[in-house]
Amino acid sequence: MHLANSLIDFHVHIFPAEASANPDAWAAANGEPHWHKLVTSGPQGWADVDALLLAMDMVGIEHAVLQGWYWQQIATCEEHNRCMARWVAKHPQRLSFFATTVPGDPQAVDVLYRAREIGAMGAGELFPPVSGCSLDAPAWDELLFQLEEWDWPVLLHTAEPAGHFYPGRIEVPLQSYVDMALRHPGLRFVLAHWGGGLPFYHLNPKLCASLPNVYYDTAASPLLFKPAIWSVALDCVDADRILFGSDFPLKIYPRFEPAICLRRLIDEALEHLPASASQRILSLNAKKLLSL
Ligand SMILES: [Zn+2]
């Protein structure tokens, strides 16, 4: 296995320093109650860029994609995009970033345009319902057409239609994601968290054939599914569709610190994936998608 030092983590979050330092006060001052609910009720871990790079070094991750967040305020998106751009500029070999915006806001596309000017390579992690925008809203479609023009992939949060409750959970029917992907065949979608179970429906050959532009990431996998998910997903979709992502610094194994969680997730993946698939899922697919 020639994986050492070539792994790519497609889904990590580093928040602005002030947000991490004091989530309660920062969220209240900046109008971000949904983020506050999520990070204060679940197994949240915290890390700055140095801690991320250290964790990457410890487990042989060569490159990580900083994902934005589905913020409720445009100002927060601007600030987070600028932070991520700064971190990437300092470590261009190790990090890339996907920019965030508020879907449905009149400034949504402008924010992404400015992020593109400072080095963003895609949009994510977006979750339009948090800003009251449905996946079939004309404003959202307009934004996606713009991304298509830039040849930007977009990473979206998804949740399983049948699953356990957690604070801040918002359910969006999987059919809405399917319809959206069908309306934008030229755009590459990365559906986070195993696409909320959508890979299973690729066993329908008609659906499978019509979604060549949809990828799935593995972020937060152990919080959602037993380790069998790795091989079950591979029974449903081609290995080329799956991207390794951790959701660092979320404590995806709640008893362990974020860096240990990263190690355990890689071990879990390697244990449950055939050798023929692991290199693609943990490295090559992301390189191709990001043109690294
Ligand atoms: Zn997510």
Side-chain angles (χ1 to χ4, degrees), residues 158-164 169-175 195-198 201 225:
T158 54
E160 327 76 65
H164 64 286
R169 177 188 162 95
I170 300 176
E171 200 200 309
V172 178
L174 293 180
Q175 187 65 43
L198 187 56
Y201 298 95
F225 299 107

Side-chain angles (χ1 to χ4, degrees), residues 11 13 69-70 125 155-158 192-193 219 247:
H11 190 141
H13 297 285
W69 187 265
Y70 28 102
E125 177 180 11
L155 184 141
L156 292 166
H157 178 79
T158 54
H193 318 299
D247 229 346

Side-chain angles (χ1 to χ4, degrees), residues 7-27:
L7 308 185
I8 298 185
D9 189 335
F10 209 84
H11 190 141
V12 305
H13 297 285
I14 302 295
F15 301 119
E18 306 76 41
S20 302
N22 192 343
D24 296 338
W26 182 87

Side-chain angles (χ1 to χ4, degrees), residues 111-291:
V111 170
L112 294 177
Y113 180 83
R114 286 193 283 279
R116 186 166 175 258
E117 299 276 282
I118 53 174
M121 297 182 71
E125 177 180 11
L126 302 183
F127 191 35
V130 169
S131 52
C133 182
S134 73
L135 294 187
D136 56 7
W140 174 242
D141 262 335
E142 229 171 85
L143 186 149
L144 294 181
F145 280 122
Q146 182 59 66
L147 300 185
E148 224 170 305
E149 208 180 301
W150 294 340
D151 197 24
W152 262 21
V154 55
L155 184 141
L156 292 166
H157 178 79
T158 54
E160 327 76 65
H164 64 286
F165 175 81
Y166 54 86
R169 177 188 162 95
I170 300 176
E171 200 200 309
V172 178
L174 293 180
Q175 187 65 43
S176 303
Y177 289 91
V178 171
D179 294 343
M180 175 183 66
L182 291 174
R183 286 198 307 276
H184 298 273
L187 185 57
R188 292 162 296 166
F189 292 92
V190 180
L191 303 186
H193 318 299
W194 293 109
L198 187 56
F200 170 77
Y201 298 95
H202 281 249
L203 293 175
N204 171 346
K206 283 183 188 147
L207 184 71
C208 180
S210 61
L211 295 178
N213 54 333
V214 176
Y215 299 77
Y216 300 97
D217 88 18
T218 68
S221 186
L223 291 176
L224 304 168
F225 299 107
K226 292 179 182 177
I229 185 69
W230 298 91
S231 48
V232 169
L234 266 188
D235 282 341
C236 302
V237 300
D238 193 86
D240 291 346
R241 306 293 199 93
I242 303 171
L243 301 161
F244 176 81
S246 65
D247 229 346
F248 179 93
L250 191 65
K251 292 182 181 176
I252 53 176
Y253 301 90
R255 286 184 298 121
F256 297 97
E257 288 309 305
I260 306 297
C261 291
L262 207 48
R263 168 83 269 160
R264 290 179 77 95
L265 186 66
I266 293 168
D267 288 347
E268 184 185 302
L270 292 177
E271 188 184 329
H272 291 86
L273 290 172
S276 57
S278 49
Q279 191 142 16
R280 282 186 276 168
I281 291 172
L282 284 122
S283 177
L284 299 179
N285 297 343
K287 279 190 180 162
K288 209 165 147 192
L289 205 69
L290 297 168
S291 309

